Amino acid sequence: MKSSKVKILLIYTGGTIGMVKDFKTGALKAFDFKTLLDQIPELKLLDCDIDTVSFEEPIDSSNMNIDSWVQIAELIEDQYDDFDGFVVLHGSDTMSYSASALSFMLENLGKPVVFTGSQLPIGDLRTDAKENLITSIQVASLQTKGKPVIQEVCLYFEYKLYRANRTTKLNAEDFQAFSSFNYHDLAESGVHLKVNYEYLFKPNTRKKLKVHKKLDNNIALIKVYPGITEAVIQSIFQTPNLKAVIIESYGAGNCTTESWFLNILTENISKGIHIINITQCVGGSVMMGHYETSSALKNIGVISGKDITTEAALGKLMFLLGKEISGNRFKTMYETPLRGELS
């Protein structure tokens, strides 16, 4: 007889959350997720069936790349009809990058994909791994009238559920490692699990899931700083096969107005290279034209990243370049929210 319980697939890619300490040697070793229920008996209290799958070779999140993102997307695609929700265990260092990229790769997503990890290994005495894992599974299993409550890619860490493509890792040591400055929390875990329904993404679930696997990483990221030189900027734009550049500007989108800087940007835009302006600030938005120091960028055709995070800006750029969209349509799509990544 088929189980009526919600079915959750746990995908382990690597990272601290999947490590346990060998108390004899003190060394960390990979956790066997097949014994998950034995190690974390609290999971039996959740009213769902949990299955697990791991990368054949789990990787440190510092080694995450496009191929790994495609691997996660394909695991979800292959198991999409058999499970009600997905929890991706991932190292925290690049979690926001991966989760943001997946949000664009999974078009018409109608089920929860919850990324989580931990600052301490699952076998550590003071670990944050158990709470993050248990609540992520609980969030992924939430249903109303037989339909998932969450229908987007999220990130859960230290009592907070965030829209994944709004997150940034801010702290290397605190358990509260992530934040979402430009968007509300989707849920908060306390004595009760409080879901902020009004902020959840509402996809067109009448359409079938479409998984985009072609990403283009012929891009560059420039963080402007006082004293940046023409030679540095020029060298980046001379990168072979370069198709797009993200500029992290000051404040509300301001950059130097030196003629050499604007000339380099103008020349490369005329060659068909897309240039996106995002802010270095963790909160707030680019508003090109608001100050004189950003009016010039607007006039030469620089694309506004508005209030997008660096992590989401990169994922969205790789995704749109993979679709081989050119000219004005690219600019329009980049400046339009596709998965709730922009306000």
Side-chain angles (χ1 to χ4, degrees), residues 3-278:
S3 172
S4 60
K5 288 184 177 180
V6 172
K7 293 185 69 180
I8 302 298
L9 181 64
L10 203 63
I11 301 171
Y12 177 57
T13 67
T16 301
I17 193 169
M19 308 300 287
V20 288
K21 185 177 286 186
D22 185 320
F23 290 102
K24 290 183 179 177
T25 65
L28 293 175
K29 59 183 181 180
F31 180 75
D32 181 5
F33 281 91
K34 291 184 174 65
T35 64
L36 190 65
L37 289 174
D38 295 330
Q39 297 288 335
I40 310 176
E42 297 95 326
L43 289 173
K44 294 174 183 174
L45 299 174
L46 296 174
D47 192 26
C48 59
D49 289 328
I50 304 166
D51 205 349
T52 63
V53 62
S54 296
F55 273 19
E56 197 169 312
E57 292 185 16
I59 59 174
D60 187 288
S61 75
S62 299
N63 290 320
M64 271 289 158
N65 54 38
I66 284 177
D67 292 339
S68 300
W69 293 346
V70 171
Q71 192 176 346
I72 297 169
E74 285 181 337
L75 284 169
I76 293 169
E77 180 183 33
D78 293 344
Q79 304 291 338
Y80 192 74
D81 293 334
D82 296 326
F83 290 89
D84 302 293
F86 303 86
V87 174
V88 181
L89 303 182
H90 191 290
S92 63
D93 284 348
T94 60
M95 192 188 300
S96 287
Y97 290 95
S98 297
S100 295
L102 262 290
S103 75
F104 298 110
M105 295 168 74
L106 302 174
E107 187 176 351
N108 304 323
L109 181 66
K111 298 179 181 182
V113 174
V114 184
F115 276 73
T116 195
S118 66
Q119 295 284 59
L120 290 174
I122 205 164
D124 198 277
L125 179 64
R126 297 178 53 254
T127 187
D128 55 330
K130 286 188 177 182
E131 197 283 322
N132 286 348
L133 177 58
I134 291 167
T135 307
S136 292
I137 293 171
Q138 185 178 11
V139 163
S141 64
L142 291 175
Q143 296 214 339
T144 301
K145 297 179 181 178
K147 291 186 176 181
V149 170
I150 309 294
Q151 300 180 51
E152 60 180 295
V153 182
C154 304
L155 189 155
Y156 181 83
F157 223 89
E158 189 64 9
Y159 308 119
K160 295 281 184 74
L161 181 72
Y162 309 104
R163 174 166 297 159
N165 56 35
R166 294 290 196 145
T167 62
T168 296
K169 185 178 181 184
L170 288 180
N171 200 299
E173 295 185 357
D174 288 356
F175 284 151
Q176 193 171 347
F178 291 85
S179 194
S180 169
F181 282 92
N182 287 332
Y183 200 71
H184 300 274
D185 305 333
L186 302 183
E188 187 168 357
S189 176
V191 174
H192 303 286
L193 183 60
K194 180 192 174 188
V195 178
N196 297 318
Y197 290 92
E198 65 270 36
Y199 301 124
L200 299 179
F201 190 66
K202 314 230 173 10
N204 186 349
T205 51
R206 289 174 294 179
K207 293 185 178 180
K208 189 178 179 183
L209 176 72
K210 184 176 182 181
V211 181
H212 299 272
K213 303 174 190 177
K214 186 179 179 184
L215 302 174
D216 193 329
N217 63 349
N218 287 298
I219 63 176
L221 174 66
I222 301 173
K223 185 167 187 170
V224 298
Y225 54 88
I228 195 167
T229 64
E230 181 177 357
V232 167
I233 298 291
Q234 196 68 268
S235 68
I236 292 169
F237 278 100
Q238 288 170 353
T239 304
N241 303 315
L242 186 70
K243 294 180 182 176
V245 172
I246 294 170
I247 295 176
E248 279 193 357
S249 59
Y250 310 122
N254 306 310
C255 283
T256 177
T257 54
E258 297 239 16
S259 58
W260 65 261
F261 181 74
L262 296 175
N263 289 341
I264 291 173
L265 300 193
T266 303
E267 179 189 349
N268 282 280
I269 288 172
S270 69
K271 291 177 183 176
I273 291 178
H274 306 290
I275 300 177
I276 295 101
N277 184 11
I278 68 172

